[in-house]
């Protein structure tokens, strides 16, 4: 049995797994199964038995055990080959990467998600059963302010957590893709962030993951 990733192909969080898997050269070990979130396939009894959170992605290991949450899944994948470059080579490195990833998750990816699900049509009425437009709009403001913060962060470094590509970049990529989908653009005056986007978008792992979408 290969590693199996349950995903809605092209959605921001599953994208994180595809990028990490490609960075680690693990694509040949992984089978992908599409779970159509727009049709609520992530809320079926069958899928909830795999991931009770009812969210994609989920990773089923060779022995049948299931991992959910991108942070945990990317951690696992990073341990499967070579050095743990994506998540951290030692305690200090891991701490810096994990701090940066967490900040980007809260301040950007989740803020964009909250805007999308609350202040736009989101995934449609069957999925968006509760919406709070004002809270959604507030989160658009938070996401836009965070872009300015990220531009400042990149003043003295070329990647989000320092001098190499890590999960902090991967989550920021997912955030930028989601933001694009929700029609939140990176302002052109944010030159550091624009240069970072051009840099990471040219990586084969990112190209491959985006092409699968
Ligand atoms: N914290 C979770 C977030 C996963 C998540 O929100 N996935 C989205 C797709 S990008 C989803 O399943 N949405 C369906 C829903 O909210 O009902 C992770 O890191 O895996």
């Amino acid at each position: 049995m290969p590693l199996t990733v349950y995903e809605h192909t092209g959605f921001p969080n599953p994208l994180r797994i595809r990028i990490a898997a490609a960075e680690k050269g693990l694509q040949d070990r992984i089978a992908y199964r599409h779970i159509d979130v727009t049709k609520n396939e992530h809320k079926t009894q069958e899928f909830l038995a795999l991931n009770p959170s009812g969210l994609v992605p989920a990773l089923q290991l060779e022995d049948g055990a299931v991992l959910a949450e991108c942070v945990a899944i990317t951690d696992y994948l990073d341990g499967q080959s070579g050095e743990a470059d994506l998540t951290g080579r030692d305690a200090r490195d891991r701490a810096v990467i994990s701090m940066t990833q967490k900040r980007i998750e809260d301040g950007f990816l989740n803020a964009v998600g909250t805007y999308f699900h609350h202040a736009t049509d989101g995934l449609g009425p069957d999925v968006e059963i509760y919406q709070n437009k004002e809270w959604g709009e507030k989160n658009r403001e938070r996401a836009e302010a965070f872009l300015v913060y990220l531009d400042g962060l990149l003043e003295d470094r070329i990647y989000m957590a320092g001098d190499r590509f890590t999960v902090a970049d991967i989550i920021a990529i997912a955030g930028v893709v989601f933001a694009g989908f929700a029609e939140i653009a990176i302002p052109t005056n944010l030159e550091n962030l624009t240069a970072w986007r051009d840099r990471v978008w040219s990586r084969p792992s990112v190209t491959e993951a985006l092409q699968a979408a």
Side-chain angles (χ1 to χ4, degrees):
M1 184 164 145
L3 294 169
T4 305
V5 171
Y6 295 83
E7 62 161 17
H8 184 120
T9 311
F11 272 28
N13 284 294
L15 196 62
R16 292 164 64 185
I17 305 311
R18 282 194 179 252
I19 296 171
E23 285 286 335
K24 300 299 289 185
L26 297 171
Q27 290 297 51
D28 290 348
R29 281 181 57 194
I30 297 180
Y32 288 93
R33 282 208 31 207
H34 185 73
I35 301 293
D36 193 333
V37 167
T38 66
K39 293 184 181 147
N40 267 327
E41 287 178 6
H42 58 314
K43 303 298 182 197
T44 61
Q45 287 305 319
E46 189 194 1
F47 186 73
L48 290 173
L50 287 172
N51 180 13
S53 306
L55 296 169
V56 288
L59 170 70
Q60 189 158 40
L61 306 182
E62 280 108 339
D63 66 2
V66 178
L67 295 175
E69 296 297 329
C70 289
V71 171
I73 297 170
T74 49
D75 215 1
Y76 179 83
L77 295 178
D78 203 22
Q80 293 303 297
S81 75
E83 250 201 302
D85 282 339
L86 293 179
T87 53
R89 295 170 180 160
D90 58 31
R92 182 190 171 126
D93 195 35
R94 271 196 303 280
V96 170
I97 293 165
S98 137
M99 171 180 73
T100 313
Q101 177 173 233
K102 179 68 178 151
R103 284 181 176 157
I104 296 172
E105 180 169 33
D106 288 345
F108 186 42
L109 182 64
N110 288 350
V112 171
T114 303
Y115 165 70
F116 176 73
H117 290 296
H118 284 274
T120 76
D121 290 343
L123 297 175
D126 291 344
V127 179
E128 311 295 357
I129 47 181
Y130 169 76
Q131 289 195 300
N132 181 331
K133 195 168 170 58
E134 192 181 347
W135 178 230
E137 292 295 349
K138 181 73 198 159
N139 274 274
R140 182 182 176 116
E141 283 172 29
R142 286 182 64 224
E144 286 173 339
F146 203 83
L147 291 175
V148 177
Y149 164 79
L150 287 178
D151 191 67
L153 191 69
L154 291 162
E155 196 69 57
D156 66 352
R157 59 184 81 177
I158 59 171
Y159 294 108
M160 291 297 174
D163 61 2
R164 71 171 199 280
F165 184 85
T166 69
V167 286
D169 297 284
I170 295 178
I171 195 168
I173 292 166
V176 169
V177 168
F178 203 175
F181 194 62
E183 298 182 0
I184 300 174
I186 297 179
T188 49
N189 65 320
L190 301 183
E191 291 177 8
N192 300 324
L193 189 56
T194 304
W196 165 86
R197 183 186 54 194
D198 293 346
R199 191 174 307 123
V200 297
W201 248 249
S202 68
R203 293 179 82 84
S205 64
V206 178
T207 311
E208 195 184 306
L210 290 172
Q211 272 168 358

